[in-house]
Amino acid sequence: MRRRRTLTLRGTGALLAGLGCVIAANLLGAAILLYVGVLLLALTVLSILVVVLPRRSGTVARQISTDLLTVSETSRVTLRFSLRALRMPRGLWRDVLPDAVTGDAAGEYPSETGRLSYLLTGVRRGVWPVGPLVLRTVDPFGLAQREQEFGETRTVTVVPEVFTLAPLTVRVGAAGGTAQTSSSRLGQGSDNLSPRRYISGDSMRRIHWRATAHRGQLMVRQEEEESSPDALVVLDRSAARWSDTGTEVDLAFETAVSLCASAAVHLMQEGYGVDVIDSAGVLLGTLRGHEDDRDGLLVALALVSPRGDSRDLAALVGGTPPGPLVYITGEIDEEDAALLRPSGAAAPMLFATAPQRGAEAAATQLGWRFAVLGDDIAEAWEDVLPERQTMSTADRRGDADVQG
């Protein structure tokens, strides 16, 4: 944080004017200039002593109305500031804010109640420090100033924005699109899970670590009876898919993260148990209908960034294909799309922020419902719904008939 100089612009002017008067008095022999110069210098020194010498201490209690702040969401920050000093200075307060949030975090001090508040708006996801509180006081003549920090910083977590998406018009699953998929994947249920030996092709996310340690061999979770539906959301954050912007924000990646959160929350609301992983197989969160699950996923997504490489999608899906499969990626070409096999998913949906020529055709040929992910996340989601896909196919056939 940049500190202000002790002398204000007016104080600097007074100091220079005083020195000028003293020098001119010696050169011109004018006693009146000497008196004026000494007066200005003495006044400047006195102003500095007035703001610097008093010892002040204080306590700050900072409260934010929401634990998790969504991008573009506004929250209220309330501070209770207790200052102990010989006198209560009239000055200005401000709370130090990072660039990732905005807010009018400044005002006049002291307030009558010692309660300070302002509105805070999330701009960029992440975990950011807020504070400390800075009190700026100025002497009565406006020649000198002092800035002093009080209290500690507090972190605020800005999570990706979650958009409302259109419902799936059909229930995808094994019964011809009329029943949801029965699942035997990680995390489905708690009382009816039994471990069995690991078989080649099982997802590594299903490993039962406690049973593995007990028996000395890899064991995986297997459900005896489970009717909860299952969905999988994959965020491809491999570095090759995204632009290296250095310190700049990659807006395409931010949109992809927001779609990842929106799709996962939406599928959970439709009754699916949702696993969210990245393209390397790292589990980012699971949604099983609990509010804590949602918050945990959003916090995890607040911290993700492009890195590493991606694994084969079939290895990520494992032996049991999900119902809805949402795969979100960045820049892909035709060859990349041809390697993304949906592995038997009942409703595979592929979103790409920067598809190259031939990528959509290659993905569609494998059975994906494909959409280009732009600024409008809700519209991109609607583009992969069955009726929109049917209309797009009919339009393409109509164009072909006209050209023929």
Side-chain angles (χ1 to χ4, degrees):
M1 182 184 67
R2 183 180 176 184
R3 292 183 176 274
R4 296 177 182 267
R5 297 177 179 177
T6 302
L7 286 179
T8 64
L9 185 61
R10 182 185 301 179
T12 302
L15 178 63
L16 294 177
L19 293 175
C21 288
V22 171
I23 294 174
N26 291 329
L27 294 177
L28 302 176
I32 187 64
L33 291 178
L34 181 61
Y35 297 148
V36 173
V38 171
L39 177 61
L40 289 175
L41 293 176
L43 190 60
T44 303
V45 173
L46 179 62
S47 297
I48 295 174
L49 295 177
V50 166
V51 298
V52 172
L53 286 183
R55 299 185 61 182
R56 302 173 190 141
S57 61
T59 58
V60 179
R62 186 181 287 102
Q63 182 179 7
I64 303 176
S65 61
T66 56
D67 294 332
L68 300 180
L69 184 64
T70 303
V71 171
S72 76
E73 180 187 9
T74 298
S75 178
R76 179 166 293 278
V77 180
T78 303
L79 302 95
R80 295 195 177 277
F81 180 40
S82 175
L83 177 65
R84 295 179 293 275
L86 294 178
R87 65 183 184 91
M88 296 294 285
R90 180 66 61 176
L92 298 175
W93 66 269
R94 63 185 176 92
D95 217 9
V96 180
L97 300 181
D99 296 335
V101 297
T102 59
D104 187 13
E108 187 176 355
Y109 187 85
S111 64
E112 295 180 357
T113 61
R115 181 177 177 271
L116 316 172
S117 67
Y118 61 92
L119 295 178
L120 188 71
T121 303
V123 175
R124 190 167 74 251
R125 63 183 179 83
V127 179
W128 312 102
V130 174
L133 180 70
V134 177
L135 180 63
R136 174 176 174 256
T137 55
V138 183
D139 73 285
F141 300 103
L143 303 180
Q145 62 185 352
R146 178 186 182 185
E147 282 194 343
Q148 189 174 358
E149 299 177 359
F150 297 91
E152 307 243 337
T153 62
R154 174 173 175 178
T155 58
V156 58
T157 302
V158 182
V159 300
E161 188 171 4
V162 177
F163 292 89
T164 301
L165 303 180
L168 294 175
T169 55
V170 295
R171 293 297 185 181
V172 296
T178 59
Q180 293 173 323
T181 305
S182 294
S183 171
S184 61
R185 294 169 55 84
L186 171 62
Q188 299 288 328
S190 56
D191 298 329
N192 49 359
L193 288 175
S194 60
R196 63 166 173 81
R197 294 182 60 182
Y198 174 83
I199 301 175
S200 179
D202 286 333
S203 172
M204 296 298 290
R205 295 180 297 110
R206 296 176 57 196
I207 291 179
H208 194 303
W209 294 109
R210 181 176 297 179
T212 296
H214 179 69
R215 302 192 183 185
Q217 58 181 339
L218 282 178
M219 304 293 292
V220 296
R221 291 180 174 89
Q222 175 179 266
E223 295 181 3
E224 297 173 353
E225 289 293 336
E226 183 60 68
S227 59
S228 296
D230 188 358
L232 180 65
V233 179
V234 183
L235 174 63
D236 184 357
R237 58 170 175 158
S238 56
R241 300 286 180 258
W242 308 99
S243 302
D244 185 6
T245 58
T247 57
E248 296 290 330
V249 178
D250 186 352
L251 297 180
F253 185 74
E254 296 303 310
T255 303
V257 174
S258 186
L259 173 60
C260 178
S262 302
V265 172
H266 176 70
L267 290 172
M268 179 194 68
Q269 292 172 344
E270 289 214 337
Y272 293 95
V274 185
D275 290 334
V276 183
I277 63 175
D278 67 9
S279 53
V282 177
L283 184 65
L284 299 176
T286 59
L287 300 181
R288 298 294 182 266
H290 303 293
E291 189 68 22
D292 291 344
D293 294 344
R294 179 182 182 275
D295 291 346
L297 172 64
L298 293 180
V299 171
L301 291 178
L303 301 173
V304 298
S305 60
R307 68 175 188 183
D309 299 317
S310 59
R311 292 174 54 195
D312 181 65
L313 181 57
L316 299 180
V317 172
T320 305
L325 169 61
V326 180
Y327 195 94
I328 307 166
T329 187
E331 182 178 350
I332 59 171
D333 55 24
E334 183 177 0
E335 183 179 354
D336 297 327
L339 297 176
L340 292 175
R341 300 187 178 277
S343 302
M349 294 169 276
L350 175 60
F351 299 87
T353 61
Q356 303 302 308
R357 184 175 182 178
E360 180 176 359
T364 304
Q365 188 174 2
L366 292 175
W368 289 101
R369 299 174 187 172
F370 184 89
V372 179
L373 179 57
D375 295 334
D376 194 331
I377 291 177
E379 182 179 1
W381 176 263
E382 291 180 3
D383 287 342
V384 301
L385 298 181
E387 67 274 14
R388 181 70 69 89
Q389 295 272 312
T390 303
M391 292 173 59
S392 299
T393 302
D395 291 341
R396 286 195 293 268
R397 289 176 179 174
D399 293 342
D401 292 341
V402 171
Q403 293 175 0

